[in-house]
Amino acid sequence: MTRAGVASARTSSAQLADIVPRVDDEQWESPSACKGWRVIDVIAHLAALAHEAVEPPTPHPSWPQVRERYHDMRVGERRGWNHREVIDEWRRYTPRQLELLEAGQKTPRADDPIPVPGLGTYPRHLLADTMAFNVLCHLRYDLLGPRGPLPFTVPAPTDELVAPAVEFMLAGVPQMQGHDLDAAVTEPLVLDLTGPGATTVTILPAEGGPAGLTVAPGALGSTQVHSSAADFICWGTTRTPWREHCEITRDAAVAEPFLDRLDII
């Protein structure tokens, strides 16, 4: 189970809730570090995700198939709302979303496969990690300085905060980009992530057919990419260039095609 994901999501949501009352009208309108979104748009995005988790909408064929464009659509639907309306939706639905994620840790439904359009299919219990990732990433890398415009601080990241976010990212590696990313891995490639949330995994090449890349625990290859886990959240989502954070040992030609293409949403 991924109860740690629920705890991480609760902590990051509480940290965001502490900051929200300190943001003034001008700051809400400031561009965030998430391209094309203002600070208030980031809250609108999190509010939309929470709302949909609690009250799933009926899918419509006109919706964008690309997940990022789908998120843009949902944010766009709220562009005419005032700041208070956006914040109220986020405050109203976030606790209920967390309750659902907590319930999703219980058997026998915890292992039910849940498709997330544009992102892949995950066991129900792992959806907690998606929220842990979303809130941590947007709060720390899009809203707060030095990348974001808000001049507030939160406690330093911990294992408990970072590990579930990284777990979701690694679960998404074989699913989010399909054959484009598959083709970039021709030999086992080790990701050695250090610091809070530390883990070591190996990206194994696709074996052909419908199966894609495999993410296996441990160091099973000779070429390794070294980075902090917290930095991985930033460069693994292409918020910053991977070359600013990563050290490659042995064969850079094995690692660079993967690093150049990786883009976790």
Side-chain angles (χ1 to χ4, degrees), residues 2 4-5 8 49 67 71 114-138 161-176 193 197 199 215 232-233 236-237 239 262-265:
T2 46
S8 176
L49 289 175
R67 189 67 181 184
H71 291 324
I114 305 297
V116 182
L119 298 184
T121 299
Y122 303 88
R124 185 185 301 277
H125 67 85
L126 197 134
L127 296 182
D129 287 356
T130 70
M131 184 179 180
F133 164 78
N134 268 315
V135 184
L136 183 151
C137 186
H138 287 304
L161 274 178
V162 176
V166 170
E167 183 176 24
F168 164 68
M169 294 175 69
L170 294 175
V173 165
Q175 303 190 68
M176 291 189 189
L193 304 177
T199 189
V215 179
F232 175 59
I233 295 172
T237 59
R239 279 168 167 78
L262 182 65
D263 186 8
I264 298 295
I265 299 171

Side-chain angles (χ1 to χ4, degrees), residues 136-197:
L136 183 151
C137 186
H138 287 304
L139 172 61
R140 291 176 180 263
Y141 298 108
D142 295 333
L143 298 183
L144 300 180
R147 295 192 71 252
L150 299 183
F152 311 116
T153 59
V154 291
T158 61
D159 282 325
E160 291 75 15
L161 274 178
V162 176
V166 170
E167 183 176 24
F168 164 68
M169 294 175 69
L170 294 175
V173 165
Q175 303 190 68
M176 291 189 189
Q177 295 174 261
H179 295 304
D180 178 60
L181 193 63
D182 292 352
V185 181
T186 56
E187 298 181 26
L189 177 63
V190 176
L191 291 182
D192 177 38
L193 304 177
T194 59

Side-chain angles (χ1 to χ4, degrees), residues 80-109:
W81 297 15
N82 63 43
H83 300 162
R84 181 52 52 196
E85 289 172 321
V86 172
I87 294 165
D88 284 348
E89 183 185 37
W90 176 74
R91 284 177 169 156
R92 182 164 62 253
Y93 285 98
T94 293
R96 296 168 67 185
Q97 181 185 21
L98 288 163
E99 289 172 3
L100 284 173
L101 294 175
E102 184 73 55
Q105 306 303 308
K106 299 176 182 177
T107 56
R109 299 177 67 228

Side-chain angles (χ1 to χ4, degrees), residues 195-209:
T199 189
T200 300
V201 299
T202 302
I203 313 299
L204 298 174
E207 296 181 352

Side-chain angles (χ1 to χ4, degrees), residues 1 35 51 74 114 120 122 126-128 152 195 226 230 244 250:
M1 298 304 102
K35 187 177 180 180
H51 196 154
R74 288 304 192 204
I114 305 297
Y122 303 88
L126 197 134
L127 296 182
F152 311 116
H226 308 275
E244 294 181 4
R250 188 152 183 187

